[in-house]
Amino acid sequence: MVGCLFLIVLAVSEPEPPDLATRIVSEAEARLGERVGDGTCSDLVAEVLREAGATLGASDWEQPWGRTVQPSERLQPGDVLVFRDAVFVHKERKRSGAVRTTTAKMERHVAIVSAVQRREGTLRIALLHQNAGRTLASDERRQVVQRWVLDPKELTEGTISAYRPMGVEEAPDTRPFQR
């Protein structure tokens, strides 16, 4: 008599930890309505990237926040946008037929992309940032984490640079050469 033994092994794996981009967006969203650091835009981005496990470059505000996102790449949640002398002009038609025009200026500003929506040829970018809002608004109102949605077609002046944060394991070794 030949006996058969069947062994069934159920493999229970740990869920994959969230990727860096997901951690960045989650960290920033958890701070909505709060003031981070001194309330500056760079305080929010630096703290969120650090908490999510991304590497940070030099301490200068102009630091790259990761590797540059090339024009051929698609922007994605977790990316960092740096605005320089950027002006956005938004026109909205009211039911009455009147047109309301609002202008947003970002001389030196940095923000985290939380979502990218593409519909019918239109791109909308949801941002999480602080130290933004109406010029005459109080610091208490401006210096808290907020969500805004931008249409890149409304950019009339200035530049926007995009960076993709890198985790510690992805960052190049920048230590000085030692013998």
Side-chain angles (χ1 to χ4, degrees), residues 4-10:
C4 291
L5 175 65
F6 290 100
L7 180 62
I8 298 174
V9 177
L10 293 176

Side-chain angles (χ1 to χ4, degrees), residues 17-165:
D19 67 356
L20 180 60
T22 301
R23 291 192 312 264
I24 290 169
V25 173
S26 293
E27 288 287 338
E29 286 179 339
R31 290 167 171 79
L32 277 167
E34 297 176 11
R35 179 180 168 148
V36 176
D38 289 337
T40 65
C41 56
S42 58
D43 277 356
L44 168 68
V45 175
E47 183 172 317
V48 163
L49 293 184
R50 210 175 6 260
E51 290 292 321
T55 60
L56 295 175
S59 60
D60 181 28
W61 188 90
E62 299 287 339
Q63 76 182 7
W65 298 97
R67 71 170 181 76
T68 303
V69 175
Q70 300 301 322
S72 61
E73 294 179 278
R74 288 186 165 233
L75 198 60
Q76 65 186 34
D79 287 347
V80 174
L81 297 182
V82 175
F83 301 86
R84 290 185 181 89
D85 300 318
V87 177
F88 290 86
V89 177
H90 176 71
K91 295 185 180 194
E92 177 183 3
R93 183 165 302 280
K94 299 287 191 172
R95 287 185 180 179
S96 66
V99 176
R100 178 179 166 199
T101 303
T102 55
T103 302
K105 296 179 182 179
M106 298 181 222
E107 292 178 18
R108 281 178 46 152
H109 191 63
V110 63
I112 296 168
V113 175
S114 64
V116 180
Q117 301 164 345
R118 292 174 183 83
R119 277 193 229 141
E120 300 171 11
T122 302
L123 175 66
R124 296 278 192 266
I125 303 168
L127 303 175
L128 295 165
H129 59 159
Q130 69 180 9
N131 201 20
R134 297 183 188 269
T135 306
L136 300 176
S138 67
D139 284 348
E140 292 81 28
R141 206 159 173 186
R142 293 172 48 88
Q143 294 180 339
V144 297
V145 180
Q146 308 167 43
R147 184 186 324 266
W148 282 14
V149 177
L150 293 179
D151 178 346
K153 289 180 184 175
E154 294 177 345
L155 179 69
T156 61
E157 294 178 35
T159 62
I160 305 171
S161 302
Y163 297 93
R164 183 139 311 139

